[in-house]
Amino acid sequence: MASPQTPYDPYIPAGGQQSSGNAKTQELQATIDDTVKIMKKNIETVTDRGEKLDTLQDKTDNLATSAQGFRRGANRVRKQMWWKDMKMRMCLIAGIIILILVIVIPAVLATRK
C-alpha cells in the first residue's frame, strides 16, 4: 500500500512501483493540467472582455442620451435665432417703408400745391 505521506492514487499500482505506463499517465496529466491553466486564463480574459463590453454599452447609452439632448438644444437655439433674424428683417423692412413714406409724402404734397 502507499505510504501515509503520499495521497492515495488509484492509478498507481499497490506496490508503489512506477512503470513506464505510469510515466505516460503523468505526462498526459501534466499536459491536461497545462491545458486547464490555459483554459482558465482564457475564461478570465473572456470575463474581463464581457465586463469591458458592459462598460462600453453603458457609455454608449449615456452618449446617445447626451446626443439626443444636444440635438434638442440645438434645434431650440436654431429656432430662437431664426425668430431673432426674422424680427431684425421685419424691423429693417418697416424702417425702409417709413423712410420711403417720409420722402414720398412731402414730395407728393409739394407737387399738389
Side-chain angles (χ1 to χ4, degrees):
M1 238 183 166
S3 66
Q5 297 170 349
T6 59
Y8 173 73
D9 189 355
Y11 297 107
I12 298 177
Q17 300 172 348
Q18 296 182 355
S19 65
S20 64
N22 194 20
K24 288 181 182 178
T25 303
Q26 288 177 349
E27 184 180 325
L28 184 61
Q29 185 64 40
T31 305
I32 291 172
D33 290 341
D34 288 341
T35 305
V36 168
K37 286 179 187 177
I38 291 170
M39 290 305 295
K40 284 182 181 180
K41 184 178 177 183
N42 288 343
I43 289 172
E44 288 175 9
T45 304
V46 168
T47 303
D48 290 342
R49 182 175 177 252
E51 291 172 0
K52 289 178 183 177
L53 287 175
D54 290 341
T55 303
L56 185 61
Q57 179 68 34
D58 292 340
K59 287 180 181 180
T60 304
D61 292 341
N62 290 339
L63 186 60
T65 303
S66 296
Q68 189 176 20
F70 179 78
R71 188 179 305 117
R72 285 186 192 136
N75 283 337
R76 189 182 80 245
V77 169
R78 183 181 53 83
K79 288 176 183 177
Q80 287 175 350
M81 294 308 290
W82 184 83
W83 276 111
K84 189 174 184 180
D85 184 48
M86 192 56 62
K87 288 177 188 176
M88 182 59 82
R89 287 182 185 194
M90 291 298 177
C91 288
L92 284 173
I93 291 172
I96 292 171
I97 290 174
I98 290 173
L99 184 64
I100 290 174
L101 289 176
V102 166
I103 294 172
V104 170
I105 289 179
V108 170
L109 290 178
T111 57
R112 279 190 179 181
K113 287 184 183 181

